[in-house]
Amino acid sequence: MARVSRVAWLYIAVVAAAAVTVIMPWHANAHDLQWWIRLGVLQLLFLVCEATPTPLATRQSAWSPSSSATLAAVVLLGPMGAALTGAIAVISLRRQLMMAERLFNGAMYAVSGFAAGKAFEAAGGVPHLPQPGDFPAIIWPFAVAAAVHVVINHGLLWGILRLTATGTRPGDRTRLESSVALLLTSDLGYAVLGLIIAALWPVVHAFAAVLVLIPLFVARWAMGQFAEQQRAYAATMAALCQAVETKDFYTRGHSERVSRGSGMIARQIGMRSDRVEAIMFAGMLHDVGKLGVPTKVLQKTGPLTEEEYAAIQLHPMRGLEIVREIGFLNEALAGIMHHHEKIDGTGYPMGFAGDEIPEFARVIAVADAFDSMTSTRSYRAARRMTEAIEELRKGAGTQFDPALVEAFIAALHRDGWRLPERAAAPVDQQTVTAQDHDDPTAPLRVIESY
Ligand SMILES: [Fe+2]
Protein backbone atom coordinates (compact mmCIF):
# COMPACT_ATOMS: atom_id res chain seq x y z
CA MET A 1 0.00 0.00 0.00
CA ALA A 2 1.79 3.12 -1.16
CA ARG A 3 0.93 6.78 -0.55
CA VAL A 4 -1.95 6.93 1.88
CA SER A 5 -4.02 9.91 0.83
CA ARG A 6 -6.56 11.68 3.02
CA VAL A 7 -9.39 9.93 1.25
CA ALA A 8 -7.69 6.58 1.84
CA TRP A 9 -7.26 7.42 5.54
CA LEU A 10 -10.94 8.34 5.70
CA TYR A 11 -11.83 5.02 4.08
CA ILE A 12 -9.64 3.14 6.58
CA ALA A 13 -11.22 5.09 9.45
CA VAL A 14 -14.73 4.15 8.28
CA VAL A 15 -13.82 0.46 8.03
CA ALA A 16 -12.09 0.62 11.42
CA ALA A 17 -15.15 2.31 12.97
CA ALA A 18 -17.34 -0.46 11.56
CA ALA A 19 -14.98 -3.05 13.07
CA VAL A 20 -15.03 -1.38 16.49
CA THR A 21 -18.82 -1.18 16.36
CA VAL A 22 -19.21 -4.90 15.76
CA ILE A 23 -16.56 -5.93 18.27
CA MET A 24 -17.92 -3.75 21.14
CA PRO A 25 -20.20 -6.31 22.77
CA TRP A 26 -17.46 -8.96 23.02
CA HIS A 27 -18.00 -9.40 26.76
CA ALA A 28 -20.96 -11.66 25.89
CA ASN A 29 -18.61 -14.65 26.09
CA ALA A 30 -16.39 -13.39 28.89
CA HIS A 31 -17.10 -16.29 31.24
CA ASP A 32 -16.57 -19.17 28.83
CA LEU A 33 -12.89 -20.11 29.19
CA GLN A 34 -13.06 -22.77 26.45
CA TRP A 35 -14.34 -20.10 24.06
CA TRP A 36 -11.34 -17.90 24.81
CA ILE A 37 -8.89 -20.81 24.39
CA ARG A 38 -10.33 -21.65 21.00
CA LEU A 39 -10.18 -17.98 20.05
CA GLY A 40 -6.53 -17.80 21.08
CA VAL A 41 -5.62 -20.87 18.98
CA LEU A 42 -7.47 -19.57 15.94
CA GLN A 43 -5.88 -16.15 16.29
CA LEU A 44 -2.50 -17.83 16.41
CA LEU A 45 -3.40 -19.85 13.31
CA PHE A 46 -4.54 -16.63 11.63
CA LEU A 47 -1.25 -14.90 12.40
CA VAL A 48 0.84 -17.82 11.15
CA CYS A 49 -1.15 -17.99 7.92
CA GLU A 50 -1.11 -14.24 7.46
CA ALA A 51 2.64 -14.09 7.95
CA THR A 52 3.20 -16.47 5.04
CA PRO A 53 1.04 -15.10 2.25
CA THR A 54 1.02 -16.65 -1.19
CA PRO A 55 2.90 -14.38 -3.54
CA LEU A 56 0.78 -13.58 -6.55
CA ALA A 57 2.70 -12.40 -9.58
CA THR A 58 -0.05 -10.14 -10.76
CA ARG A 59 -1.41 -8.56 -7.62
CA GLN A 60 -0.27 -5.58 -5.67
CA SER A 61 -0.66 -7.58 -2.50
CA ALA A 62 -0.26 -11.24 -1.77
CA TRP A 63 -3.15 -13.38 -0.62
CA SER A 64 -2.95 -15.30 2.60
CA PRO A 65 -4.85 -18.40 3.68
CA SER A 66 -5.81 -16.77 6.97
CA SER A 67 -9.49 -16.88 5.99
CA SER A 68 -9.41 -20.57 7.00
CA ALA A 69 -8.98 -19.48 10.62
CA THR A 70 -11.74 -16.85 10.39
CA LEU A 71 -14.19 -19.28 8.84
CA ALA A 72 -13.37 -21.97 11.40
CA ALA A 73 -14.14 -19.32 14.03
CA VAL A 74 -17.51 -18.67 12.38
CA VAL A 75 -18.52 -22.26 13.18
CA LEU A 76 -16.72 -22.69 16.51
CA LEU A 77 -17.19 -19.25 18.06
CA GLY A 78 -19.85 -17.29 16.17
CA PRO A 79 -19.75 -13.77 14.67
CA MET A 80 -17.89 -12.18 17.58
CA GLY A 81 -15.21 -14.86 17.61
CA ALA A 82 -14.76 -14.57 13.84
CA ALA A 83 -14.45 -10.78 14.13
CA LEU A 84 -11.85 -11.06 16.91
CA THR A 85 -9.94 -13.71 14.96
CA GLY A 86 -9.72 -11.39 11.96
CA ALA A 87 -8.95 -8.33 14.07
CA ILE A 88 -5.70 -9.94 15.20
CA ALA A 89 -4.28 -8.94 11.80
CA VAL A 90 -3.51 -5.60 13.49
CA ILE A 91 -0.51 -7.24 15.18
CA SER A 92 0.58 -9.00 12.00
CA LEU A 93 3.99 -10.67 12.16
CA ARG A 94 4.88 -9.11 8.81
CA ARG A 95 7.22 -6.39 9.97
CA GLN A 96 7.26 -4.45 6.72
CA LEU A 97 3.57 -3.54 7.04
CA MET A 98 2.84 0.10 7.72
CA MET A 99 0.51 1.20 10.49
CA ALA A 100 -2.21 2.07 7.98
CA GLU A 101 -2.03 -1.40 6.47
CA ARG A 102 -2.20 -3.13 9.84
CA LEU A 103 -5.16 -1.03 10.86
CA PHE A 104 -6.95 -1.61 7.59
CA ASN A 105 -6.26 -5.35 7.48
CA GLY A 106 -7.43 -5.85 11.08
CA ALA A 107 -10.60 -3.84 10.45
CA MET A 108 -11.30 -5.52 7.10
CA TYR A 109 -10.90 -9.05 8.46
CA ALA A 110 -12.93 -8.19 11.57
CA VAL A 111 -15.83 -6.78 9.53
CA SER A 112 -15.82 -9.63 7.01
CA GLY A 113 -15.49 -12.24 9.79
CA PHE A 114 -18.40 -10.72 11.69
CA ALA A 115 -20.54 -10.53 8.55
CA ALA A 116 -19.71 -14.16 7.71
CA GLY A 117 -20.72 -15.17 11.25
CA LYS A 118 -24.03 -13.35 10.96
CA ALA A 119 -24.64 -14.90 7.54
CA PHE A 120 -23.91 -18.34 8.99
CA GLU A 121 -26.57 -17.80 11.69
CA ALA A 122 -29.04 -16.27 9.25
CA ALA A 123 -28.74 -19.34 7.02
CA GLY A 124 -29.64 -21.59 9.95
CA GLY A 125 -26.18 -22.36 11.36
CA VAL A 126 -25.64 -22.51 15.12
CA PRO A 127 -22.09 -21.72 16.28
CA HIS A 128 -20.86 -24.61 18.45
CA LEU A 129 -18.50 -27.60 18.35
CA PRO A 130 -19.92 -29.48 15.36
CA GLN A 131 -20.87 -33.12 15.86
CA PRO A 132 -21.03 -35.82 13.17
CA GLY A 133 -24.83 -35.45 13.18
CA ASP A 134 -24.50 -31.78 12.13
CA PHE A 135 -23.28 -32.84 8.69
CA PRO A 136 -24.33 -32.32 5.95
CA ALA A 137 -26.83 -29.71 7.25
CA ILE A 138 -24.02 -27.37 8.35
CA ILE A 139 -22.57 -27.18 4.82
CA TRP A 140 -25.20 -24.81 3.42
CA PRO A 141 -24.90 -22.12 6.14
CA PHE A 142 -21.13 -22.49 6.00
CA ALA A 143 -21.15 -21.98 2.22
CA VAL A 144 -23.23 -18.82 2.68
CA ALA A 145 -20.80 -17.58 5.33
CA ALA A 146 -17.81 -18.30 3.07
CA ALA A 147 -19.43 -16.46 0.15
CA VAL A 148 -20.21 -13.41 2.33
CA HIS A 149 -16.67 -13.46 3.69
CA VAL A 150 -15.16 -13.48 0.19
CA VAL A 151 -17.44 -10.75 -1.14
CA ILE A 152 -16.90 -8.35 1.78
CA ASN A 153 -13.19 -9.04 1.96
CA HIS A 154 -12.60 -8.48 -1.73
CA GLY A 155 -14.98 -5.53 -1.82
CA LEU A 156 -13.15 -3.72 0.98
CA LEU A 157 -9.77 -4.65 -0.49
CA TRP A 158 -10.80 -3.44 -3.92
CA GLY A 159 -11.79 -0.11 -2.38
CA ILE A 160 -8.44 0.47 -0.71
CA LEU A 161 -6.51 -0.64 -3.82
CA ARG A 162 -8.47 1.89 -5.88
CA LEU A 163 -7.64 4.65 -3.42
CA THR A 164 -3.96 3.84 -3.05
CA ALA A 165 -3.13 2.70 -6.60
CA THR A 166 -0.04 4.41 -7.92
CA GLY A 167 -1.12 4.08 -11.54
CA THR A 168 -2.13 1.16 -13.67
CA ARG A 169 0.36 -0.38 -16.02
CA PRO A 170 -0.90 -1.61 -19.37
CA GLY A 171 -2.22 -5.09 -19.09
CA ASP A 172 -2.82 -4.88 -15.35
CA ARG A 173 -6.54 -5.05 -15.84
CA THR A 174 -6.33 -8.29 -17.75
CA ARG A 175 -3.90 -9.76 -15.31
CA LEU A 176 -6.15 -8.69 -12.46
CA GLU A 177 -9.12 -10.37 -14.15
CA SER A 178 -7.25 -13.64 -14.46
CA SER A 179 -5.92 -13.40 -10.93
CA VAL A 180 -9.45 -12.81 -9.58
CA ALA A 181 -10.39 -16.29 -10.85
CA LEU A 182 -7.29 -17.64 -9.13
CA LEU A 183 -8.11 -15.79 -5.92
CA LEU A 184 -11.70 -17.04 -5.88
CA THR A 185 -10.53 -20.62 -6.41
CA SER A 186 -7.99 -20.37 -3.62
CA ASP A 187 -10.59 -18.73 -1.37
CA LEU A 188 -12.88 -21.69 -1.94
CA GLY A 189 -10.05 -24.05 -0.96
CA TYR A 190 -9.26 -22.03 2.16
CA ALA A 191 -12.94 -21.98 3.11
CA VAL A 192 -13.09 -25.79 2.93
CA LEU A 193 -10.04 -25.94 5.19
CA GLY A 194 -11.89 -23.73 7.67
CA LEU A 195 -14.75 -26.23 7.78
CA ILE A 196 -12.27 -29.10 8.23
CA ILE A 197 -10.70 -27.32 11.22
CA ALA A 198 -14.15 -26.93 12.78
CA ALA A 199 -15.07 -30.55 12.04
CA LEU A 200 -11.81 -31.91 13.48
CA TRP A 201 -11.93 -29.75 16.60
CA PRO A 202 -14.20 -32.02 18.72
CA VAL A 203 -11.81 -34.94 18.03
CA VAL A 204 -8.30 -33.48 18.15
CA HIS A 205 -8.98 -30.05 19.69
CA ALA A 206 -6.37 -27.39 19.02
CA PHE A 207 -4.27 -29.89 17.09
CA ALA A 208 -6.83 -29.44 14.28
CA ALA A 209 -5.14 -26.14 13.48
CA VAL A 210 -1.74 -27.82 13.15
CA LEU A 211 -3.14 -30.60 10.95
CA VAL A 212 -4.60 -28.04 8.60
CA LEU A 213 -1.43 -25.99 8.43
CA ILE A 214 0.36 -28.80 6.58
CA PRO A 215 -1.85 -28.84 3.43
CA LEU A 216 -1.97 -25.04 3.64
CA PHE A 217 1.77 -24.79 3.33
CA VAL A 218 1.83 -27.35 0.53
CA ALA A 219 -0.82 -25.29 -1.30
CA ARG A 220 1.15 -22.15 -0.68
CA TRP A 221 4.27 -23.73 -2.11
CA ALA A 222 2.37 -24.84 -5.23
CA MET A 223 0.89 -21.38 -5.76
CA GLY A 224 4.28 -19.81 -5.18
CA GLN A 225 5.65 -22.02 -7.97
CA PHE A 226 2.82 -20.85 -10.24
CA ALA A 227 3.54 -17.21 -9.46
CA GLU A 228 7.22 -17.82 -10.11
CA GLN A 229 6.34 -19.30 -13.48
CA GLN A 230 4.21 -16.26 -14.34
CA ARG A 231 7.12 -13.99 -13.50
CA ALA A 232 9.40 -16.11 -15.65
CA TYR A 233 6.95 -15.75 -18.57
CA ALA A 234 6.90 -11.99 -18.15
CA ALA A 235 10.70 -11.86 -18.01
CA THR A 236 10.93 -13.97 -21.18
CA MET A 237 8.58 -11.59 -22.99
CA ALA A 238 10.48 -8.55 -21.78
CA ALA A 239 13.85 -9.99 -22.84
CA LEU A 240 12.63 -10.83 -26.36
CA CYS A 241 11.04 -7.39 -26.80
CA GLN A 242 14.17 -5.72 -25.52
CA ALA A 243 16.18 -7.65 -28.12
CA VAL A 244 13.90 -6.43 -30.95
CA GLU A 245 13.95 -2.85 -29.72
CA THR A 246 17.72 -2.87 -29.34
CA LYS A 247 17.99 -3.89 -32.96
CA ASP A 248 15.49 -1.32 -34.16
CA PHE A 249 15.59 1.67 -31.81
CA TYR A 250 12.75 3.63 -33.32
CA THR A 251 10.24 0.91 -32.57
CA ARG A 252 10.90 1.01 -28.82
CA GLY A 253 7.69 0.77 -26.87
CA HIS A 254 5.89 -0.39 -30.03
CA SER A 255 5.55 -3.99 -28.81
CA GLU A 256 4.04 -2.91 -25.52
CA ARG A 257 1.61 -0.50 -27.16
CA VAL A 258 0.50 -3.07 -29.73
CA SER A 259 0.01 -5.48 -26.86
CA ARG A 260 -2.14 -2.93 -25.03
CA GLY A 261 -4.13 -2.04 -28.16
CA SER A 262 -4.76 -5.69 -28.96
CA GLY A 263 -5.97 -6.23 -25.40
CA MET A 264 -8.34 -3.24 -25.74
CA ILE A 265 -9.88 -4.66 -28.92
CA ALA A 266 -10.10 -8.14 -27.44
CA ARG A 267 -11.95 -6.89 -24.37
CA GLN A 268 -14.21 -4.72 -26.50
CA ILE A 269 -15.37 -7.74 -28.52
CA GLY A 270 -15.89 -9.73 -25.32
CA MET A 271 -13.03 -12.21 -25.53
CA ARG A 272 -12.52 -14.51 -22.55
CA SER A 273 -9.90 -13.21 -20.13
CA ASP A 274 -7.43 -16.04 -20.83
CA ARG A 275 -7.60 -15.26 -24.57
CA VAL A 276 -7.17 -11.55 -23.83
CA GLU A 277 -4.01 -12.42 -21.95
CA ALA A 278 -2.82 -14.63 -24.82
CA ILE A 279 -3.46 -11.93 -27.42
CA MET A 280 -1.51 -9.44 -25.33
CA PHE A 281 1.43 -11.85 -25.37
CA ALA A 282 1.02 -12.10 -29.15
CA GLY A 283 0.94 -8.31 -29.50
CA MET A 284 4.06 -8.07 -27.39
CA LEU A 285 5.94 -10.54 -29.56
CA HIS A 286 4.40 -9.89 -32.98
CA ASP A 287 7.58 -8.46 -34.48
CA VAL A 288 10.06 -10.73 -32.71
CA GLY A 289 10.89 -12.16 -36.15
CA LYS A 290 12.72 -8.90 -36.94
CA LEU A 291 15.60 -10.52 -35.07
CA GLY A 292 15.93 -12.77 -38.10
CA VAL A 293 15.95 -9.87 -40.62
CA PRO A 294 19.36 -8.36 -41.41
CA THR A 295 19.77 -5.02 -39.60
CA LYS A 296 20.94 -3.30 -42.79
CA VAL A 297 17.60 -4.22 -44.40
CA LEU A 298 15.59 -2.92 -41.43
CA GLN A 299 17.57 0.33 -41.46
CA LYS A 300 17.87 0.84 -45.21
CA THR A 301 16.92 4.37 -46.27
CA GLY A 302 16.30 3.82 -49.99
CA PRO A 303 13.96 1.47 -51.82
CA LEU A 304 14.39 -2.23 -51.08
CA THR A 305 15.54 -4.83 -53.58
CA GLU A 306 13.18 -7.74 -54.09
CA GLU A 307 15.44 -9.95 -51.95
CA GLU A 308 15.38 -7.39 -49.15
CA TYR A 309 11.62 -7.08 -49.37
CA ALA A 310 11.37 -10.87 -49.24
CA ALA A 311 13.49 -10.80 -46.07
CA ILE A 312 11.02 -8.34 -44.50
CA GLN A 313 8.09 -10.48 -45.56
CA LEU A 314 9.68 -13.45 -43.86
CA HIS A 315 9.68 -11.83 -40.41
CA PRO A 316 6.35 -13.30 -39.27
CA MET A 317 7.66 -16.80 -40.10
CA ARG A 318 10.95 -16.04 -38.38
CA GLY A 319 8.96 -14.86 -35.35
CA LEU A 320 7.08 -18.12 -35.26
CA GLU A 321 10.36 -20.08 -35.47
CA ILE A 322 11.84 -18.10 -32.58
CA VAL A 323 8.96 -18.50 -30.12
CA ARG A 324 7.31 -21.73 -31.34
CA GLU A 325 8.78 -23.79 -28.51
CA ILE A 326 7.43 -21.45 -25.81
CA GLY A 327 4.57 -23.67 -24.70
CA PHE A 328 2.30 -21.09 -23.05
CA LEU A 329 1.89 -19.01 -26.21
CA ASN A 330 -0.54 -21.43 -27.96
CA GLU A 331 -3.03 -19.31 -29.92
CA ALA A 332 -0.66 -16.35 -29.75
CA LEU A 333 1.57 -18.09 -32.30
CA ALA A 334 -1.12 -17.73 -35.00
CA GLY A 335 -1.30 -14.00 -34.24
CA ILE A 336 2.46 -13.60 -34.65
CA MET A 337 2.55 -15.65 -37.85
CA HIS A 338 -0.31 -13.87 -39.64
CA HIS A 339 -0.25 -10.26 -38.38
CA HIS A 340 0.55 -8.94 -41.88
CA GLU A 341 -2.24 -10.75 -43.71
CA LYS A 342 -4.86 -8.45 -45.24
CA ILE A 343 -8.59 -9.04 -45.44
CA ASP A 344 -8.49 -8.84 -49.26
CA GLY A 345 -5.84 -11.57 -49.42
CA THR A 346 -2.94 -9.34 -50.52
CA GLY A 347 -0.94 -9.61 -47.30
CA TYR A 348 1.87 -11.94 -46.31
CA PRO A 349 3.20 -14.53 -45.57
CA MET A 350 0.32 -16.81 -46.68
CA GLY A 351 -2.00 -14.43 -48.53
CA PHE A 352 -4.95 -15.49 -46.39
CA ALA A 353 -8.20 -13.55 -46.85
CA GLY A 354 -11.21 -12.75 -44.65
CA ASP A 355 -11.97 -15.33 -41.98
CA GLU A 356 -9.04 -17.48 -43.09
CA ILE A 357 -6.91 -15.05 -41.11
CA PRO A 358 -6.83 -16.10 -37.45
CA GLU A 359 -8.76 -13.71 -35.20
CA PHE A 360 -5.67 -12.89 -33.14
CA ALA A 361 -3.83 -11.78 -36.28
CA ARG A 362 -6.75 -9.59 -37.44
CA VAL A 363 -6.81 -7.89 -34.03
CA ILE A 364 -3.06 -7.31 -33.91
CA ALA A 365 -3.04 -5.89 -37.45
CA VAL A 366 -5.34 -3.04 -36.37
CA ALA A 367 -3.41 -2.15 -33.21
CA ASP A 368 -0.09 -2.51 -35.04
CA ALA A 369 -1.00 -0.12 -37.86
CA PHE A 370 -2.52 2.41 -35.45
CA ASP A 371 0.58 2.54 -33.28
CA SER A 372 2.84 2.81 -36.28
CA MET A 373 0.85 5.75 -37.65
CA THR A 374 0.75 7.59 -34.32
CA SER A 375 4.51 7.16 -33.76
CA THR A 376 7.20 9.40 -35.18
CA ARG A 377 9.23 7.88 -37.99
CA SER A 378 12.37 9.31 -39.59
CA TYR A 379 10.47 10.01 -42.82
CA ARG A 380 7.43 11.67 -41.21
CA ALA A 381 6.05 13.10 -37.99
CA ALA A 382 3.55 11.17 -35.91
CA ARG A 383 0.02 11.41 -37.26
CA ARG A 384 -2.75 12.72 -35.08
CA MET A 385 -5.05 10.09 -33.60
CA THR A 386 -8.00 11.35 -35.64
CA GLU A 387 -5.99 10.93 -38.84
CA ALA A 388 -4.88 7.45 -37.87
CA ILE A 389 -8.50 6.49 -37.11
CA GLU A 390 -9.47 7.84 -40.52
CA GLU A 391 -6.76 5.68 -42.16
CA LEU A 392 -7.97 2.61 -40.26
CA ARG A 393 -11.50 3.24 -41.51
CA LYS A 394 -10.16 3.69 -45.05
CA GLY A 395 -8.46 0.30 -44.83
CA ALA A 396 -11.49 -1.45 -43.28
CA GLY A 397 -12.65 -4.24 -45.56
CA THR A 398 -9.45 -4.32 -47.62
CA GLN A 399 -6.59 -4.37 -45.11
CA PHE A 400 -8.43 -4.61 -41.80
CA ASP A 401 -11.41 -6.43 -40.39
CA PRO A 402 -14.09 -3.67 -40.27
CA ALA A 403 -15.69 -4.98 -37.06
CA LEU A 404 -12.34 -4.90 -35.29
CA VAL A 405 -11.57 -1.38 -36.54
CA GLU A 406 -14.86 -0.17 -35.03
CA ALA A 407 -14.19 -2.13 -31.83
CA PHE A 408 -10.80 -0.45 -31.53
CA ILE A 409 -12.26 3.00 -32.09
CA ALA A 410 -14.89 2.36 -29.43
CA ALA A 411 -12.20 1.09 -27.03
CA LEU A 412 -10.07 4.17 -27.76
CA HIS A 413 -12.96 6.42 -26.79
CA ARG A 414 -13.46 4.42 -23.62
CA ASP A 415 -9.89 3.83 -22.48
CA GLY A 416 -7.91 6.54 -24.28
CA TRP A 417 -4.44 5.99 -25.70
CA ARG A 418 -1.02 6.80 -24.34
CA LEU A 419 1.01 8.18 -27.24
CA PRO A 420 4.70 7.27 -27.43
CA GLU A 421 7.13 9.78 -25.97
CA ARG A 422 9.60 11.34 -28.34
CA ALA A 423 13.22 10.88 -27.41
CA ALA A 424 16.43 11.24 -29.34
CA ALA A 425 18.10 8.02 -30.43
CA PRO A 426 21.34 7.10 -28.64
CA VAL A 427 24.46 8.27 -30.49
CA ASP A 428 25.35 4.73 -31.55
CA GLN A 429 21.88 4.19 -33.01
CA GLN A 430 21.45 7.27 -35.13
CA THR A 431 20.93 5.12 -38.20
CA VAL A 432 17.35 4.08 -37.83
CA THR A 433 14.61 2.38 -39.72
CA ALA A 434 13.70 4.57 -42.64
CA GLN A 435 10.69 2.58 -43.72
CA ASP A 436 8.23 1.09 -41.30
CA HIS A 437 6.71 -2.12 -42.60
CA ASP A 438 3.71 -1.58 -40.27
CA ASP A 439 2.78 1.83 -41.69
CA PRO A 440 -0.21 1.43 -44.03
CA THR A 441 0.16 5.00 -45.29
CA ALA A 442 3.73 4.49 -46.54
CA PRO A 443 4.08 1.10 -48.22
CA LEU A 444 7.62 -0.24 -48.55
CA ARG A 445 9.27 0.85 -51.79
CA VAL A 446 10.69 -2.01 -53.77
CA ILE A 447 12.98 -1.73 -56.78
CA GLU A 448 11.45 -3.66 -59.65
CA SER A 449 13.95 -6.05 -61.22
CA TYR A 450 13.59 -6.87 -64.89
FE1 LIG B 1 5.42 -6.92 -38.34
Side-chain angles (χ1 to χ4, degrees):
M1 193 189 287
R3 274 192 319 168
V4 184
S5 63
R6 277 191 194 173
V7 186
W9 269 114
L10 187 67
Y11 181 78
I12 294 171
V14 169
V15 180
V20 169
T21 310
V22 299
I23 290 174
M24 280 293 225
W26 57 268
H27 58 268
N29 297 290
H31 303 298
D32 184 350
L33 184 62
Q34 282 301 317
W35 191 92
W36 284 102
I37 291 173
R38 278 178 225 147
L39 175 65
V41 171
L42 289 175
Q43 284 179 324
L44 203 58
L45 176 68
F46 186 101
L47 284 177
V48 171
C49 291
E50 213 256 340
T52 54
T54 305
L56 293 175
T58 54
R59 185 93 186 187
Q60 290 178 37
S61 61
W63 193 243
S64 84
S66 49
S67 55
S68 305
T70 316
L71 287 166
V74 163
V75 177
L76 294 169
L77 308 171
M80 201 55 55
L84 286 170
T85 302
I88 202 73
V90 171
I91 58 160
S92 170
L93 304 176
R94 284 191 283 156
R95 272 195 240 142
Q96 74 277 21
L97 289 187
M98 295 190 308
M99 193 57 225
E101 287 175 284
R102 289 170 181 276
L103 188 62
F104 176 74
N105 286 347
M108 171 182 73
Y109 287 123
V111 170
S112 54
F114 184 82
K118 284 291 179 194
F120 179 73
E121 289 179 340
V126 179
H128 69 304
L129 276 186
Q131 302 302 317
D134 292 329
F135 288 87
I138 197 173
I139 291 174
W140 165 245
F142 185 81
V144 173
V148 167
H149 189 257
V150 167
V151 169
I152 296 193
N153 233 338
H154 284 277
L156 292 174
L157 195 59
W158 179 81
I160 197 71
L161 287 178
R162 285 288 305 236
L163 293 173
T164 56
T166 50
T168 316
R169 290 201 321 270
D172 273 3
R173 197 168 132 186
T174 316
R175 287 195 283 270
L176 195 63
E177 278 168 18
S178 57
S179 67
V180 162
L182 182 68
L183 286 174
L184 290 177
T185 313
S186 56
D187 275 330
L188 184 70
Y190 296 150
V192 171
L193 285 175
L195 186 58
I196 293 173
I197 295 173
L200 285 176
W201 202 284
V203 187
V204 291
H205 308 288
F207 193 62
V210 180
L211 278 182
V212 163
L213 276 179
I214 297 165
L216 269 184
F217 280 105
V218 172
R220 178 189 177 276
W221 175 82
M223 285 185 70
Q225 295 294 103
F226 176 73
E228 201 49 54
Q229 196 181 28
Q230 295 286 94
R231 274 194 288 271
Y233 288 169
T236 308
M237 302 284 110
L240 284 167
C241 291
Q242 183 62 49
V244 175
E245 292 178 10
T246 301
K247 182 160 178 150
D248 188 1
F249 179 80
Y250 256 65
T251 59
R252 74 196 183 289
H254 173 66
S255 311
E256 196 178 323
R257 291 190 299 272
V258 172
S259 169
R260 192 189 332 145
S262 303
M264 284 162 63
I265 300 171
R267 273 191 294 275
Q268 184 70 28
I269 59 172
M271 256 189 211
R272 278 197 327 264
S273 65
D274 58 325
R275 289 188 76 218
V276 174
E277 190 160 21
I279 205 167
M280 292 184 75
F281 279 147
M284 193 68 104
L285 293 176
H286 74 285
D287 266 348
V288 71
K290 275 187 181 175
L291 291 174
V293 179
T295 311
K296 67 176 186 343
V297 176
L298 286 177
Q299 297 183 342
K300 188 168 179 185
T301 48
L304 302 173
T305 64
E306 282 187 353
E307 292 76 42
E308 288 165 342
Y309 185 49
I312 294 267
Q313 285 185 309
L314 267 179
H315 84 272
M317 307 277 270
R318 293 265 180 268
L320 183 72
E321 283 165 18
I322 291 169
V323 297
R324 186 162 39 200
E325 297 305 320
I326 303 180
F328 65 89
L329 289 175
N330 302 320
E331 199 179 355
L333 295 177
I336 295 167
M337 165 86 174
H338 297 289
H339 74 275
H340 284 294
E341 306 284 3
K342 295 182 183 175
I343 292 294
D344 61 8
T346 61
Y348 59 87
M350 305 302 284
F352 283 174
D355 288 345
E356 279 179 325
I357 308 169
E359 189 180 27
F360 271 29
R362 281 181 275 139
V363 169
I364 293 169
V366 175
D368 193 14
F370 181 80
D371 182 65
S372 169
M373 289 188 283
T374 51
S375 302
T376 302
R377 292 288 173 258
S378 58
Y379 54 90
R380 58 147 175 81
R383 287 187 157 70
R384 284 203 304 271
M385 281 184 32
T386 46
E387 287 176 77
I389 288 172
E390 198 49 47
E391 288 296 333
L392 286 182
R393 283 208 165 113
K394 247 191 246 171
T398 50
Q399 181 166 358
F400 310 115
D401 182 330
L404 297 178
V405 168
E406 289 312 314
F408 186 46
I409 294 166
L412 279 175
H413 285 132
R414 193 193 56 206
D415 298 344
W417 185 255
R418 203 181 308 157
L419 289 166
E421 287 161 21
R422 292 188 62 179
V427 182
D428 62 334
Q429 296 190 39
Q430 292 291 332
T431 312
V432 295
T433 304
Q435 304 184 73
D436 182 358
H437 73 283
D438 295 329
D439 184 352
T441 63
L444 294 180
R445 289 168 294 147
V446 182
I447 304 165
E448 297 288 335
S449 56
Y450 298 99

